[in-house]
Structure formats: C-alpha cells, structure tokens
Amino acid sequence: MLLQFNVTNFLSFKEEAILSAYANADKTYAEKLIKAGKKTVLPTIAIYGANAAGKSNLMKALTAAILFVRQSNFYQINTINPIVPFLLDENSRNEKTRFDFSFIYDGMQYDYGFSASNQTVYEEYLYEYRTKKPSMIFERTNTGEYRFASANKKELSQYVEKTSPNKLFLATATAWNCELTRNAFMWFAESIDTYDSRSLDNSFISEFENDNSDEMKRFMMDFIHHADINISDYSFEIKEADKEALPPFVDINSVKGGSVKQWKLDVVHDVDVNGATRSFVLPFNVESTGTIKVFSYGPLIRKALRTGKTMIVDEIDSCLHPMLVRYLIDLFNDPEINKNGAQLIFNTHDVSLLDQDIFRRDQIYFVEKDNRTATSDLYSLAEFSPRKSEDIRKGYLQGRYGAIPAIIPGGFEW
C-alpha cells in the first residue's frame, strides 16, 4: 500500500508536493482505516481543484515515476525517460525532478526515491524497515557513485556496471534476480496502477481473459446490479485471428507476431414487451458510455480488493453517476469488504462527495494553481481544521479552502 508520495519539479509542481496516506490522530471513522502493524493508513483519498490547477499533473507524476521504474531496464543508452520538469522558469527547466515513495509490500515498509532529468538519473536510494529505523539497501549519488550496507556490498556491487546513466539501479538489479531489490520493485510492478478515462476503457479485457472461474461473473453481475443497469447477463470470448482477417482500418505493422487477439462481449437485456419479459442480446459497442465505464471499473476494483492494490484514477466521475462513485468509495472504506488494504486515490469535481459523513478531513486534498507563477500547490483539508459538524461542501464552494476557479462575471463583445 502507498504511504506517501512526494514530487518536486514536475510539470506544474515546481516546489515539493506531498500526498500522504498516513492517517492523522483524528479518531473519526477509525474503524475504516487500514491497519498496517502500528500504522493506520487511509483507504481512500479524494483530490479537488479547479480546471487546469494541476490535479491531472499529480496523476501524471505518479504515472511517470511508476512507468520509469517498470521500464527502465529495457532502455537503450539513448532512450528518453518520461520526465518533464517545470518549464516556466529558467532555473527549474534545467533542474532535476525528484520522486519519493514510502510503501508497504509483503509486510515490509520501504522508502524509495530518485532524482533525474529526461536523460540521466542523478540520485537514487532504497531503505527498508526491519526495525523502527530504516536500513539502507543502497544509495546512489552523482549518477555513478554508490553506497551499500556492508553485508550487501558484494552482491549489489556487481550490478553497478550494468546500470547505464539513464537507468534506475532498482530495475537493473532486479532484472538480474537480485533478492535485495526484488520486493521493492515488485510493488511498482504489481501493487499500484494509475488510470485515466482512456486507459480504463480496454483495461478490463485482460481480467476477463484470465478469469478461469465464475467468480468474475458473479462479482460483475453484483456490481452491475448495484449500478442499477438493466443487464441480466453477458458473455465474453476471445480468440486468435490472423492478420489477414483484420479489418482494413487496423495497422497491420503495429500487430506483433502472426496473429492478434480479438474479443467479443455481448450483453443481455430483459425487457417487458406487451406484458411478457423477453431477452435481447446486444453487442457491447452499442452500450452507453456509462455502461462501458461500469464494465471497465468492475474487474479492476475486484482485483484491487482481492490483492490489496492501490488504484489511482484521474477524473473518476467521468461518465459515472455520483451515486455510483459513492458506491465505489464505500467499497474501499468498508473494512468488511476491503480486507486486504486496497486503496482508491482519485481526483474529481463532484462536490456532492465533500461530506464528512463520507470522508475524514485527512482524506480530502486540494490542488490550487497560482496564476501569476503557474505553479501548483497540494494541501489537505485537515490543515484548515474544520469543525466536524461543518458543511465542507458549502465552505469549498464559498472559497474557504481555495482550489476553485475565480469566475469573472460578465459577457463577451462579439
């Protein structure tokens, strides 16, 4: 699970931004918090802000860092990594970008981070917590200078020459079967994912394909029922198809190997026709955008709840009714359902969720941009210490916490 994420000098976040999933001392809804040893961790975090304030940039920062860890070992010497600093300042555009993570994987807490440009890794470190104090696994400075704990020096030093200046040591060492770095790397590989409205639409296919039991079907039908969608059943199949059989609009050069997988999803609607119930089978592509989103979210949420995964979603309310978004949040906030410490972190404009009956104060974050400097700032509602009886939705709309657009009234001259 994610404990904390820090980012400095990435897109609109010129100064350090800290997204913390540590629960503070507030006892409100303590039963909903995730217990990780002596730590208490937030299961859900909602992020608010005006358009163009930087909410999506925070998601992009997480995505860039995660993908860099996953893909770094495959880089060629001249591969450009996905790091973009704050460009609206002569100094910061030439400065390093920094990412820092604290997380728990397989019962162990790790601190990992690195600073880099789009061509070079400058610093990198990995610590683990076998006691209350962190123990160094490795530290990297000046791109090619390393420090290792004395007990690990012999094993880890052999991967130094295998790590080029644009690669992360964590990824390189793990690719060479280093047990000391494996768990930290696997958290990035398996236990955290970011999604936006585009990546969600086809992400459920692999989950459907790999489901060899009826568990997915039962979960999805229950999920569809709670979403109040008139679907009584569905069928899914996937098979290999030759390149020659592909439609003319598919770029054959983009298809790897001699075949490509084609999937088919049909849904069943029960409809009253002249007093009798009839079942109609329709292809998935004629369903509404909202229904498609429900099918997209279902398998991912099931996997997160089963494995304790951290889901990070950009614009969770895109094409979803507020009541359904509330239902998703309740799944992660309910310890009887979320038994494995899964997390849902998302940004939204849905002010109906700004309710202290849904969230604790430390579960709500705001992003605000200073239009004079074009820099974004991230902060928590807890910093304002609103009363527990306070209408925070009303307070937000009144500008009490910032992070809302300053609409200028008046018309236009055409």
Side-chain angles (χ1 to χ4, degrees):
M1 71 188 68
L2 177 68
L3 300 176
Q4 185 166 297
F5 171 66
N6 300 32
V7 57
T8 306
N9 194 31
F10 183 86
L11 292 176
S12 59
F13 289 96
K14 179 182 178 182
E15 306 299 331
E16 183 180 44
I18 302 174
L19 179 68
S20 176
Y22 286 107
N24 62 23
D26 188 354
K27 301 301 182 182
T28 304
Y29 300 134
E31 70 281 1
K32 295 183 179 181
L33 299 176
I34 301 170
K35 304 299 188 295
K38 295 183 178 180
K39 297 179 176 62
T40 52
V41 184
L42 304 174
T44 55
I45 294 176
I47 303 170
Y48 285 84
N51 291 111
K55 300 186 305 299
S56 292
N57 286 345
L58 183 65
M59 303 301 180
K60 289 176 182 177
L62 282 154
T63 301
I66 293 166
L67 290 181
F68 191 19
V69 173
R70 291 179 182 178
Q71 300 171 0
S72 170
N73 186 60
F74 303 105
Y75 282 11
Q76 300 299 316
I77 195 68
N78 60 344
T79 302
I80 303 297
N81 66 51
I83 292 177
V84 182
F86 181 75
L87 297 174
L88 301 178
D89 179 273
E90 292 299 329
N91 293 323
S92 61
R93 65 164 47 215
N94 296 311
E95 288 293 323
K96 299 169 285 190
T97 296
R98 184 176 184 88
F99 302 101
D100 300 279
F101 291 85
S102 291
F103 56 91
I104 294 175
Y105 181 83
D106 197 20
M108 178 72 72
Q109 179 179 342
Y110 296 91
D111 290 343
Y112 172 73
F114 59 91
S115 64
S117 66
N118 64 359
Q119 294 179 307
T120 306
V121 177
Y122 296 98
E123 292 98 15
E124 187 181 3
Y125 66 88
L126 177 63
Y127 288 82
E128 65 180 3
Y129 288 76
R130 293 193 175 275
T131 63
K132 291 183 179 180
K133 295 183 178 180
S135 300
M136 178 183 68
I137 296 179
F138 71 84
E139 288 181 354
R140 177 185 185 181
T141 57
N142 299 319
T143 303
E145 298 177 9
Y146 291 83
R147 289 182 59 230
F148 307 113
S150 56
N152 304 328
K153 185 174 182 179
K154 182 177 180 181
E155 179 178 357
L156 290 172
S157 60
Q158 63 183 309
Y159 309 118
V160 170
E161 291 186 358
K162 296 177 173 66
T163 307
S164 58
N166 66 334
K167 291 186 178 183
L168 294 170
F169 184 79
L170 177 71
T172 301
T174 305
W176 286 87
N177 296 318
C178 176
E179 288 296 322
L180 293 168
T181 60
R182 183 183 183 278
N183 276 5
F185 178 86
M186 291 307 295
W187 181 78
F188 286 96
E190 296 181 341
S191 295
I192 185 169
D193 262 315
T194 62
Y195 304 94
D196 59 21
S197 58
R198 290 172 296 178
S199 62
L200 270 168
D201 286 344
N202 290 314
S203 56
F204 69 94
I205 300 302
S206 61
E207 295 301 316
F208 275 17
E209 179 184 5
N210 296 324
D211 181 53
N212 297 316
S213 68
D214 291 330
E215 292 181 11
M216 174 72 77
K217 189 70 166 286
R218 289 195 296 269
F219 179 91
M220 283 301 302
M221 292 311 303
D222 188 49
F223 189 62
I224 291 167
H225 170 73
H226 281 283
D228 193 27
I229 295 175
N230 177 29
I231 292 177
S232 59
D233 200 0
Y234 71 86
S235 62
F236 175 83
E237 62 177 287
I238 191 166
K239 60 183 179 180
E240 300 283 342
D242 292 333
K243 282 185 178 181
E244 289 73 15
L246 294 176
F249 54 81
V250 175
D251 180 8
I252 294 179
N253 294 322
S254 68
V255 178
K256 297 180 180 179
S259 62
V260 65
K261 290 182 178 179
Q262 290 185 315
W263 59 273
K264 181 183 179 184
L265 178 60
D266 291 327
V267 295
V268 181
H269 293 266
D270 290 342
V271 180
D272 187 303
V273 179
N274 298 324
T277 300
R278 291 186 56 188
S279 296
F280 295 87
V281 179
L282 300 179
F284 186 60
N285 61 4
V286 304
E287 294 296 325
S288 71
T289 305
T291 299
I292 292 173
K293 281 290 185 289
V294 168
F295 271 85
S296 299
Y297 274 108
L300 300 178
I301 289 171
R302 173 178 176 267
K303 184 175 182 180
L305 294 172
R306 291 182 67 192
T307 63
K309 192 171 187 174
T310 300
M311 281 186 65
I312 300 170
V313 183
D314 188 15
E315 297 182 351
I316 195 172
D317 49 344
S318 175
C319 303
L320 287 184
H321 191 276
M323 294 295 290
L324 184 53
V325 176
R326 168 72 184 269
Y327 173 65
L328 300 185
I329 294 166
D330 288 344
L331 291 177
F332 285 80
N333 280 345
D334 187 342
E336 293 300 316
I337 297 173
N338 185 12
K339 298 179 180 180
N340 297 307
Q343 293 170 295
L344 177 64
I345 300 172
F346 61 91
N347 64 39
T348 180
H349 291 292
D350 183 1
V351 295
S352 70
L353 300 173
L354 280 171
D355 188 333
Q356 294 195 76
D357 288 334
I358 302 175
F359 292 116
R360 292 159 45 100
R361 290 168 291 188
D362 54 357
Q363 288 180 281
I364 297 173
Y365 273 78
F366 301 107
V367 177
E368 184 167 48
K369 180 178 282 188
D370 185 334
N371 285 332
R372 297 170 302 167
T373 62
T375 59
S376 297
D377 184 28
L378 176 69
Y379 52 93
S380 170
L381 174 65
E383 296 179 26
F384 295 86
S385 301
R387 299 185 308 276
K388 293 183 180 180
S389 60
E390 186 171 323
D391 185 342
I392 57 174
R393 183 185 70 86
K394 181 178 179 181
Y396 174 66
L397 293 176
Q398 290 176 340
R400 196 173 302 164
Y401 317 122
I404 60 172
I407 304 298
I408 300 174
F412 298 91
E413 293 185 7
W414 299 97

